[in-house]
Amino acid sequence: GEIYVRWDEFSRKRMEDLFAQEGIILQISPIHEWIYYTYYIFIQKLVSKNSTVVERMKKRVEMQVLRHFERKIKQLFARAGLCDARMVNVAHVVETAEAYLSPTLTGEAILTIGSTLAEIGEYYDGVVAVGPFACMPSRIAESILKKAIEDKKTKLGKSLPFISIELDGNPFTPSIEARLDAFIAQVKQLKRGSEAVASALSRR
């Protein structure tokens, strides 16, 4: 979700610890996804429309340097089993969201939508979209994702746990706690179902 949620543990209210207590690993959206996105919208002239070819070429080179270091670092951690070696692909994220939101509306909303739809059910069992209270991009993403995830559920034929919550710096309200508990239960149920299917297939 929002850039401040990716960067600041306080903003997330240490939600990853809550999930870890339930045996669920929470993957925080990486900060460099947002950095790549700022390069992407510049290169595609979605912002700074008067930029020159040379300026855009410089941005391409800068982005390739960042991707080089991302690849090297991820490969090192992946060998130790501590990291997913998949590279961030902002172009794919934007293309995935494009059916629901125009890329010309720049900001966090398209990243939240595209990342969720590209990852849920494929690499992750569920998604929690977190944003600041009354944030317009977060609310746009939430309203679109409710319909988009239903479409993907129909396509994949399985449950895709998803919730969107707003935080204002205060402790979780009972309502948010209840929604998180329900989400955790859905993820566990989905995982148990997947493991049962895998076990049955392995015995054949």
CSV table of all heavy atoms in Angstrom, one decimal, residues 71-97:
chain,number,residue,atom,x,y,z
A,71,ARG,N,19.4,-7.5,-8.0
A,71,ARG,CA,19.6,-8.9,-8.4
A,71,ARG,C,20.8,-9.6,-7.6
A,71,ARG,O,20.6,-10.7,-7.1
A,71,ARG,CB,20.0,-9.0,-9.9
A,71,ARG,CG,20.1,-10.4,-10.4
A,71,ARG,CD,20.4,-10.4,-11.9
A,71,ARG,NE,19.2,-10.0,-12.7
A,71,ARG,CZ,19.1,-8.8,-13.3
A,71,ARG,NH1,20.1,-7.9,-13.2
A,71,ARG,NH2,18.0,-8.4,-13.9
A,72,LYS,N,21.9,-8.9,-7.4
A,72,LYS,CA,23.0,-9.4,-6.7
A,72,LYS,C,22.6,-9.7,-5.2
A,72,LYS,O,23.0,-10.7,-4.7
A,72,LYS,CB,24.2,-8.5,-6.8
A,72,LYS,CG,24.9,-8.4,-8.1
A,72,LYS,CD,26.2,-7.7,-8.1
A,72,LYS,CE,27.2,-8.5,-7.3
A,72,LYS,NZ,28.6,-7.9,-7.4
A,73,ILE,N,22.0,-8.7,-4.6
A,73,ILE,CA,21.6,-8.9,-3.2
A,73,ILE,C,20.6,-10.0,-3.0
A,73,ILE,O,20.7,-10.8,-2.1
A,73,ILE,CB,21.0,-7.5,-2.7
A,73,ILE,CG1,22.2,-6.5,-2.6
A,73,ILE,CG2,20.4,-7.7,-1.3
A,73,ILE,CD1,21.7,-5.1,-2.3
A,74,LYS,N,19.6,-10.1,-3.9
A,74,LYS,CA,18.6,-11.1,-3.8
A,74,LYS,C,19.2,-12.5,-4.0
A,74,LYS,O,18.8,-13.5,-3.3
A,74,LYS,CB,17.4,-10.9,-4.7
A,74,LYS,CG,16.5,-9.8,-4.3
A,74,LYS,CD,15.3,-9.6,-5.2
A,74,LYS,CE,14.3,-8.7,-4.6
A,74,LYS,NZ,13.1,-8.5,-5.5
A,75,GLN,N,20.1,-12.6,-4.9
A,75,GLN,CA,20.7,-13.9,-5.2
A,75,GLN,C,21.5,-14.4,-4.0
A,75,GLN,O,21.5,-15.6,-3.6
A,75,GLN,CB,21.6,-13.8,-6.4
A,75,GLN,CG,20.9,-13.7,-7.7
A,75,GLN,CD,21.8,-13.5,-8.9
A,75,GLN,OE1,22.9,-13.1,-8.8
A,75,GLN,NE2,21.2,-13.7,-10.1
A,76,LEU,N,22.2,-13.5,-3.3
A,76,LEU,CA,23.0,-13.8,-2.1
A,76,LEU,C,22.0,-14.3,-1.0
A,76,LEU,O,22.3,-15.4,-0.4
A,76,LEU,CB,23.8,-12.6,-1.6
A,76,LEU,CG,25.0,-12.2,-2.4
A,76,LEU,CD1,25.5,-10.9,-1.9
A,76,LEU,CD2,26.1,-13.3,-2.3
A,77,PHE,N,21.0,-13.6,-0.7
A,77,PHE,CA,20.0,-14.0,0.3
A,77,PHE,C,19.2,-15.2,-0.1
A,77,PHE,O,18.9,-16.1,0.8
A,77,PHE,CB,19.1,-12.9,0.6
A,77,PHE,CG,19.7,-11.8,1.5
A,77,PHE,CD1,20.2,-10.6,1.0
A,77,PHE,CD2,19.7,-12.0,2.9
A,77,PHE,CE1,20.8,-9.7,1.9
A,77,PHE,CE2,20.3,-11.1,3.8
A,77,PHE,CZ,20.8,-9.9,3.3
A,78,ALA,N,18.9,-15.4,-1.4
A,78,ALA,CA,18.2,-16.6,-1.8
A,78,ALA,C,19.0,-17.8,-1.6
A,78,ALA,O,18.4,-18.9,-1.3
A,78,ALA,CB,17.8,-16.4,-3.3
A,79,ARG,N,20.3,-17.8,-1.8
A,79,ARG,CA,21.1,-19.0,-1.5
A,79,ARG,C,21.1,-19.4,-0.1
A,79,ARG,O,21.2,-20.6,0.2
A,79,ARG,CB,22.6,-18.7,-2.0
A,79,ARG,CG,22.8,-18.7,-3.5
A,79,ARG,CD,24.2,-18.9,-3.8
A,79,ARG,NE,25.1,-17.8,-3.5
A,79,ARG,CZ,25.3,-16.8,-4.3
A,79,ARG,NH1,24.8,-16.8,-5.5
A,79,ARG,NH2,26.1,-15.8,-3.9
A,80,ALA,N,20.8,-18.5,0.8
A,80,ALA,CA,20.7,-18.8,2.2
A,80,ALA,C,19.2,-19.2,2.6
A,80,ALA,O,19.0,-19.4,3.8
A,80,ALA,CB,21.2,-17.7,3.1
A,81,GLY,N,18.3,-19.1,1.6
A,81,GLY,CA,16.9,-19.4,1.9
A,81,GLY,C,16.2,-18.3,2.6
A,81,GLY,O,15.2,-18.5,3.2
A,82,LEU,N,16.7,-17.1,2.6
A,82,LEU,CA,16.2,-15.9,3.3
A,82,LEU,C,15.4,-15.0,2.4
A,82,LEU,O,14.9,-14.0,3.0
A,82,LEU,CB,17.3,-15.2,4.0
A,82,LEU,CG,18.1,-16.0,5.1
A,82,LEU,CD1,19.3,-15.2,5.6
A,82,LEU,CD2,17.2,-16.4,6.2
A,83,CYS,N,15.3,-15.2,1.2
A,83,CYS,CA,14.8,-14.2,0.3
A,83,CYS,C,14.2,-14.8,-1.0
A,83,CYS,O,14.7,-15.9,-1.4
A,83,CYS,CB,15.8,-13.2,-0.1
A,83,CYS,SG,15.3,-11.9,-1.2
A,84,ASP,N,13.2,-14.3,-1.5
A,84,ASP,CA,12.6,-14.6,-2.8
A,84,ASP,C,13.4,-13.9,-3.9
A,84,ASP,O,13.5,-12.7,-3.8
A,84,ASP,CB,11.1,-14.2,-2.9
A,84,ASP,CG,10.5,-14.6,-4.2
A,84,ASP,OD1,11.2,-15.1,-5.1
A,84,ASP,OD2,9.2,-14.4,-4.3
A,85,ALA,N,14.0,-14.6,-4.8
A,85,ALA,CA,14.9,-14.0,-5.8
A,85,ALA,C,14.2,-13.4,-6.9
A,85,ALA,O,14.9,-12.8,-7.8
A,85,ALA,CB,15.9,-15.1,-6.3
A,86,ARG,N,12.8,-13.4,-7.0
A,86,ARG,CA,12.1,-12.8,-8.1
A,86,ARG,C,12.4,-11.3,-8.1
A,86,ARG,O,12.4,-10.6,-7.0
A,86,ARG,CB,10.6,-13.0,-8.0
A,86,ARG,CG,10.2,-14.5,-8.2
A,86,ARG,CD,8.7,-14.6,-8.2
A,86,ARG,NE,8.2,-14.2,-6.9
A,86,ARG,CZ,7.3,-13.3,-6.8
A,86,ARG,NH1,6.8,-12.6,-7.8
A,86,ARG,NH2,6.8,-13.0,-5.6
A,87,MET,N,12.6,-10.7,-9.3
A,87,MET,CA,12.8,-9.3,-9.4
A,87,MET,C,11.5,-8.5,-9.4
A,87,MET,O,10.5,-9.0,-9.9
A,87,MET,CB,13.6,-9.0,-10.7
A,87,MET,CG,15.0,-9.7,-10.7
A,87,MET,SD,16.2,-8.8,-9.6
A,87,MET,CE,16.4,-7.3,-10.6
A,88,VAL,N,11.6,-7.3,-8.9
A,88,VAL,CA,10.4,-6.4,-9.0
A,88,VAL,C,10.2,-6.0,-10.5
A,88,VAL,O,11.2,-5.6,-11.1
A,88,VAL,CB,10.6,-5.2,-8.1
A,88,VAL,CG1,9.5,-4.1,-8.4
A,88,VAL,CG2,10.6,-5.6,-6.7
A,89,ASN,N,9.0,-6.1,-11.0
A,89,ASN,CA,8.7,-5.8,-12.4
A,89,ASN,C,7.5,-4.8,-12.4
A,89,ASN,O,6.4,-5.2,-12.5
A,89,ASN,CB,8.3,-7.1,-13.1
A,89,ASN,CG,8.2,-6.8,-14.6
A,89,ASN,OD1,8.0,-5.7,-15.1
A,89,ASN,ND2,8.3,-7.9,-15.4
A,90,VAL,N,7.9,-3.5,-12.3
A,90,VAL,CA,6.9,-2.5,-12.3
A,90,VAL,C,6.0,-2.4,-13.5
A,90,VAL,O,4.8,-2.2,-13.5
A,90,VAL,CB,7.5,-1.1,-12.0
A,90,VAL,CG1,6.5,0.0,-12.2
A,90,VAL,CG2,8.0,-1.1,-10.5
A,91,ALA,N,6.6,-2.7,-14.7
A,91,ALA,CA,5.9,-2.6,-15.9
A,91,ALA,C,4.8,-3.7,-15.9
A,91,ALA,O,3.6,-3.4,-16.3
A,91,ALA,CB,6.8,-2.9,-17.1
A,92,HIS,N,5.1,-4.9,-15.4
A,92,HIS,CA,4.1,-5.9,-15.3
A,92,HIS,C,3.0,-5.5,-14.3
A,92,HIS,O,1.8,-5.8,-14.6
A,92,HIS,CB,4.7,-7.2,-14.9
A,92,HIS,CG,3.8,-8.4,-14.6
A,92,HIS,ND1,3.0,-8.8,-15.6
A,92,HIS,CD2,3.5,-9.1,-13.5
A,92,HIS,CE1,2.2,-9.8,-15.2
A,92,HIS,NE2,2.5,-10.0,-13.9
A,93,VAL,N,3.4,-4.9,-13.2
A,93,VAL,CA,2.4,-4.5,-12.2
A,93,VAL,C,1.4,-3.5,-12.8
A,93,VAL,O,0.2,-3.6,-12.7
A,93,VAL,CB,3.1,-3.8,-11.0
A,93,VAL,CG1,2.1,-3.1,-10.1
A,93,VAL,CG2,3.8,-4.9,-10.2
A,94,VAL,N,1.9,-2.5,-13.5
A,94,VAL,CA,1.1,-1.5,-14.2
A,94,VAL,C,0.2,-2.1,-15.2
A,94,VAL,O,-1.0,-1.8,-15.3
A,94,VAL,CB,2.0,-0.3,-14.8
A,94,VAL,CG1,1.1,0.6,-15.6
A,94,VAL,CG2,2.7,0.4,-13.7
A,95,GLU,N,0.8,-3.0,-16.0
A,95,GLU,CA,0.0,-3.7,-17.1
A,95,GLU,C,-1.2,-4.5,-16.5
A,95,GLU,O,-2.3,-4.5,-17.0
A,95,GLU,CB,0.9,-4.6,-17.9
A,95,GLU,CG,1.8,-3.8,-18.9
A,95,GLU,CD,2.9,-4.7,-19.4
A,95,GLU,OE1,2.9,-5.9,-19.2
A,95,GLU,OE2,3.8,-4.1,-20.1
A,96,THR,N,-0.9,-5.1,-15.3
A,96,THR,CA,-1.9,-5.9,-14.7
A,96,THR,C,-3.1,-5.0,-14.2
A,96,THR,O,-4.2,-5.4,-14.3
A,96,THR,CB,-1.3,-6.7,-13.5
A,96,THR,OG1,-0.2,-7.5,-13.9
A,96,THR,CG2,-2.4,-7.5,-12.8
A,97,ALA,N,-2.7,-3.9,-13.7
A,97,ALA,CA,-3.8,-2.9,-13.2
A,97,ALA,C,-4.5,-2.2,-14.3
A,97,ALA,O,-5.5,-1.6,-14.0
A,97,ALA,CB,-3.1,-2.0,-12.2
